[in-house]
Amino acid sequence: MWQKREKASLEEFVYIPVVARVDPENPANMDFVDWITVSMKTLQRGGKLSVQVYDDSMEHTLHVGDFVIFKPYVGDGTDIPNGKVVVLRNHHGELIVRRLARVDNAIVLTSDNLKYPPLQPSADLQIVGVAVGAIIQLEL
């Protein structure tokens, strides 16, 4: 049975920036490369920034071209739930997406694509965001 859906008004959507790079020396300095539209609900969950997936490290969950919507994060990751997708800044300032896992009381950052080895947070690889959603590109 089909349910009637009400059309969303344009007021229910906002633009948030797509971030390509975060300065390792000054995390407040970010390179914004574009804007995407998200729902107000996503914004209310803390989704203030986004990053575009540029490799296959999170295949079969996320694909090249998808966007991860995230809330900024400062901390050591111990308060992030196990299995949550996070955004990391590497030593070049580039942003990458991984999944946080706890192994023997240590945090490990894994790829959903098993061909990539696990990583560990360090001074050169810091968690800068926690995913609240994604915009998936579908081929039809």
Side-chain angles (χ1 to χ4, degrees):
M1 178 173 211
W2 294 92
Q3 292 182 348
K4 183 179 177 183
R5 289 184 149 189
E6 293 184 31
K7 291 184 179 181
S9 73
L10 291 177
E11 294 152 359
E12 295 178 33
F13 295 94
V14 294
Y15 288 107
I16 62 169
V18 179
V19 182
R21 191 175 177 287
V22 175
D23 186 341
E25 302 298 320
N26 181 7
N29 187 10
M30 301 178 192
D31 290 342
F32 300 117
V33 295
D34 207 349
W35 296 87
I36 61 169
T37 306
V38 300
S39 70
M40 285 299 293
K41 288 181 183 179
T42 300
L43 186 69
Q44 290 165 349
R45 289 194 319 263
K48 294 182 176 31
L49 300 168
S50 65
V51 62
Q52 190 165 24
V53 176
Y54 65 88
D55 66 15
D56 66 347
S57 64
M58 293 301 287
E59 293 279 344
H60 298 293
T61 307
L62 298 167
H63 307 281
V64 172
D66 292 348
F67 291 90
V68 173
I69 314 305
F70 66 96
K71 59 183 174 183
Y73 177 81
V74 176
D76 61 4
T78 56
D79 57 334
I80 298 173
N82 189 40
K84 194 73 174 162
V85 172
V86 295
V87 177
L88 310 166
R89 183 192 71 227
N90 68 18
H91 64 283
H92 297 294
E94 301 161 328
L95 298 182
I96 59 175
V97 178
R98 294 293 188 272
R99 189 173 301 279
L100 185 139
R102 292 193 188 347
V103 178
D104 298 327
N105 292 327
I107 292 175
V108 179
L109 304 161
T110 64
S111 298
D112 288 358
N113 185 336
L114 298 179
K115 78 177 187 181
Y116 290 90
L119 305 169
Q120 296 201 324
S122 67
D124 290 336
L125 189 64
Q126 294 184 326
I127 300 170
V128 296
V130 178
V132 299
I135 298 175
I136 307 296
Q137 307 292 319
L138 295 176
E139 285 190 35
L140 300 176

